[in-house]
Amino acid sequence: MKKSFDIIVVGLGANGSSALYHLSKLNKRVLGIDRFTPPHEFGSSHGESRIIRQAYHENPIYVPFIKQAYDVWYEMERISGEKLLLKTGGLMLGEENSYVVSGARLSAETHGIDYEYLDYNELLKRFPAFKPHKKTVGILEHEAGILFPEKCIKTFLYQAQKNGACIVNNEMVLAISFADDRVTITTAGGVYTAEKVIISTGAWMSTLLPDLKLPLTVERQVLHWFKNTSGHLQQKILAKKFPVYIWEYLPGQLFYGFPDIGSGVKIARHHQGEQIKPDELTQQVSGDEIKQMKYIVDTYLNMEVVYDRSAVCMYTNTPDEDFIIDYHPEFKNVILASPCSGHGFKFSSITGKLLCDMATDGYFGLDISPFSLKRFTNLSAAKTSFC
Ligand SMILES: Cc1cc2nc3c(=O)[nH]c(=O)nc-3n(C[C@H](O)[C@H](O)[C@H](O)COP(=O)(O)OP(=O)(O)OC[C@H]3O[C@@H](n4cnc5c(N)ncnc54)[C@H](O)[C@@H]3O)c2cc1C
C-alpha cells in the first residue's frame, strides 16, 4: 500500500468513518486508520441503538446541525439501500420546568419543530408503557427515532472504500508529528505521511495528544437490556406505543430508553458513571448496577421484565458538554474532533462532512465556533448539561 496521502483520518468510529466517506467523494488520496476493526465494542459507538431527535433540550444551537444530519442519514440510506434510521417518535419527560422538558420546548419553538405538549393524563392515555408520577409532563416530537450505530459505521466505511479510500484496521497510531505542510503518523505497522490529518479517536483523544492537555474526561456507561414478559396482547399494545424517551426523573438525573426492536427493552442512565482511563475499561457489570436499573424499570415502565444482558461503553466529556471540533491551535493542517459528551452519534453524519470541509477548505455554512478549543482558556465554571 502507498504510504503517502492527501488526508489521513485517525480513528474510524462514528465521526472518523463519516469523515472518511465524505472525503472519499472528493477524488483525494485518503486513508483511514483504526486500532481495532470498526465497528467494534471497545469505544463509544456500540450497543445496537442511538437516539436521534431534533427538539434539542441541551441547546437550540444544535438544531441546524441535526436538521442537516438527518439529510445525510437519508442520503446514506439511499446510496446503500440499508435501513439506518427508524422513526419511533421521541418523548422528553420530566416536571414542567425540568431541564429536559423546558429545553426541548425552547428548541422546538426557536426552530419551528413540530411537537405536542402532553400533561400527566394525556401521557397515561397515550403511552401505557410508562408509569409517570403526577407532576410528569412530556414533549413529544415525531421526527425522533433510532439510529443503528454499527450499521451506520459499516455503511460509511463500505461506501468510502467503494469510492477509493484506503483503510488500515488493527493498527494503533502510536505518535503523530506535525509540521506546517506535512504530518507523519507512526503506527505499530509503519509510517504514513499526509498533508492533513483528522484526529477522531474518541475516548483516546488525550492519550494521543497529551501535550494539548485537552479538558476531557472519560466516563464508563452501562447499557442494559430487559425482556418484556407481560402477556402477548399486552406486549403488542406496549410495543405500538413506545417511542424513544429521555426522562429527567430527579432534578439533573436522567435515564433514557428504547422500544423493543427485537432484542428486548434497552435502558440506561445518562452520566452518573465512574471516571476511567480508556485502556482500563472493564466490561464486567456488577449485580448492584443491574439491581439499580431494574428498580428504575419497575418504577417507571409499565411492564413485567426479566434482566437479559448489559454492555459497557464510554462517554468522552468536555467540561461544558459541548463538542470539540476545531483546528489544532498551532497546526492548521491538523483537525480535532471530539463530539461526544454522550450525545454525538446522531450528528456524526454531518460532523464527518464538517471535518471533510475543514480539511479541504470547503464551505460548511454552519457556525462551529461554539465547539472551538478557545472557549476552554477562560473556562471559569463548568456548566452541567445533559444527554
Ligand atoms: C452508552 C452510550 C450511549 C449513547 N447514546 C447516544 C444517543 O442515544 N444518541 C447520540 O446521539 N449519541 C449517543 N452517545 C454518544 C455517541 O455514541 C458518541 O458521541 C459517538 O459514538 C462518539 O464517536 P467517536 O467517533 O468520537 O468515537 P468512537 O466511535 O469510539 O471512535 C473512536 C475510534 O478511534 C479509534 N482509536 C482510538 N485510538 C486510536 C489510535 N491510537 N490509533 C488508531 N485508532 C484509534 C478507536 O478504535 C475507535 O474506533 C452515546 C454514547 C454512549 C457511550
Side-chain angles (χ1 to χ4, degrees):
M1 132 143 28
K2 273 184 286 180
K3 299 263 178 173
S4 170
F5 294 85
D6 295 324
I7 303 162
I8 294 179
V9 181
V10 180
L12 299 177
N15 295 292
S17 63
S18 169
L20 194 73
Y21 162 72
H22 289 286
L23 288 165
S24 73
K25 295 199 290 185
L26 300 182
N27 216 6
K28 299 266 178 203
R29 292 170 305 147
V30 289
L31 168 70
I33 308 178
D34 202 283
R35 60 183 284 182
F36 302 113
T37 302
H40 59 72
E41 298 188 345
F42 313 111
S44 304
S45 300
H46 57 283
E48 291 181 6
S49 47
R50 289 291 185 270
I51 294 177
I52 180 165
R53 58 196 156 89
Q54 296 192 350
Y56 221 67
H57 58 260
E58 288 85 342
N59 194 325
I61 61 164
Y62 284 95
V63 178
F65 291 85
I66 194 61
K67 287 193 168 169
Q68 293 201 23
Y70 268 81
D71 292 341
V72 184
W73 290 121
Y74 295 142
E75 172 193 324
M76 294 313 294
E77 286 192 324
R78 257 193 327 271
I79 292 170
S80 65
E82 296 284 351
K83 182 87 188 142
L84 304 178
L85 195 170
L86 174 70
K87 277 194 201 169
T88 58
L91 252 184
M92 304 303 123
L93 294 160
E95 293 195 7
E96 179 80 39
N97 294 319
S98 62
Y99 174 78
V100 164
V101 168
S102 61
R105 209 172 191 177
L106 175 67
S107 269
E109 280 171 5
T110 309
H111 290 282
I113 296 162
D114 211 15
Y115 78 94
E116 290 179 70
Y117 172 86
L118 305 178
D119 64 16
Y120 167 74
N121 289 321
E122 278 288 300
L123 282 175
L124 279 189
K125 202 161 75 192
R126 291 185 47 188
F127 295 103
F130 299 121
K131 280 197 285 194
H133 64 70
K134 286 214 159 67
K135 286 187 175 167
T136 307
V137 298
I139 299 292
L140 175 69
E141 69 156 281
H142 300 281
E143 291 301 305
I146 302 172
L147 287 164
F148 303 109
E150 289 88 351
K151 220 203 261 186
C152 293
I153 292 174
K154 220 183 244 182
T155 301
F156 280 131
L157 294 177
Y158 178 76
Q159 294 299 327
Q161 269 185 310
K162 223 167 120 184
N163 294 339
C166 297
I167 294 179
V168 172
N169 285 324
N170 300 315
E171 229 174 90
M172 184 165 161
V173 170
L174 302 172
I176 308 183
S177 69
F178 309 122
D180 289 335
D181 57 347
R182 209 90 201 133
V183 179
T184 305
I185 293 173
T186 307
T187 71
V191 175
Y192 304 88
T193 61
E195 283 168 27
K196 298 187 179 172
V197 63
I198 293 170
I199 305 177
S200 48
T201 48
W204 290 270
M205 284 297 280
S206 295
T207 318
L208 203 54
L209 298 163
D211 293 347
L212 280 187
K213 300 201 181 337
L214 295 169
L216 296 172
T217 50
V218 177
E219 185 183 3
R220 179 175 177 276
Q221 292 288 298
V222 187
L223 310 161
H224 304 270
W225 284 261
F226 291 85
K227 291 275 183 211
N228 184 352
T229 54
S230 318
H232 181 63
L233 183 63
Q234 175 74 349
Q235 273 195 44
K236 267 179 84 174
I237 293 167
L238 295 178
K240 264 188 148 180
K241 301 190 174 185
F242 203 146
V244 294
Y245 62 93
I246 299 175
W247 199 324
E248 190 173 347
Y249 63 112
L250 289 171
Q253 294 196 33
L254 281 68
F255 67 89
Y256 61 92
F258 300 80
D260 186 347
I261 49 171
S263 55
V265 173
K266 180 179 145 186
I267 184 165
R269 286 212 253 198
H270 182 53
H271 290 303
Q272 305 161 63
E274 184 194 345
Q275 201 166 309
I276 52 152
K277 292 187 176 150
D279 283 324
E280 291 170 9
L281 179 72
T282 68
Q283 297 290 334
Q284 273 157 353
V285 175
S286 71
D288 262 2
E289 287 173 313
I290 296 165
K291 219 159 105 190
Q292 284 170 21
M293 191 47 75
K294 176 80 167 52
Y295 174 78
I296 287 184
V297 175
D298 290 343
T299 308
Y300 295 96
L301 299 189
N302 194 18
M303 55 186 68
E304 292 183 12
V305 296
V306 289
Y307 170 73
D308 187 36
R309 69 199 162 93
S310 306
V312 181
C313 198
M314 292 182 281
Y315 282 178
T316 307
N317 299 319
T318 58
D320 58 10
E321 300 198 0
D322 290 321
F323 303 151
I324 294 173
I325 302 175
D326 203 352
Y327 296 96
H328 187 287
E330 275 179 73
F331 301 100
K332 294 294 167 242
N333 54 344
V334 178
I335 294 149
L336 312 176
S338 182
C340 187
S341 293
H343 64 122
F345 196 91
K346 63 184 83 56
F347 298 97
S348 58
S349 59
I350 190 65
T351 306
K353 168 84 168 59
L354 288 170
L355 297 172
C356 165
D357 289 342
M358 290 167 81
T360 55
D361 303 320
Y363 171 72
F364 39 90
L366 282 166
D367 178 15
I368 57 166
S369 61
F371 308 137
S372 98
L373 278 170
K374 276 198 206 110
R375 73 188 195 273
F376 297 119
T377 52
N378 291 321
L379 200 72
S380 50
K383 108 185 176 209
T384 38
S385 63
F386 309 103
C387 179

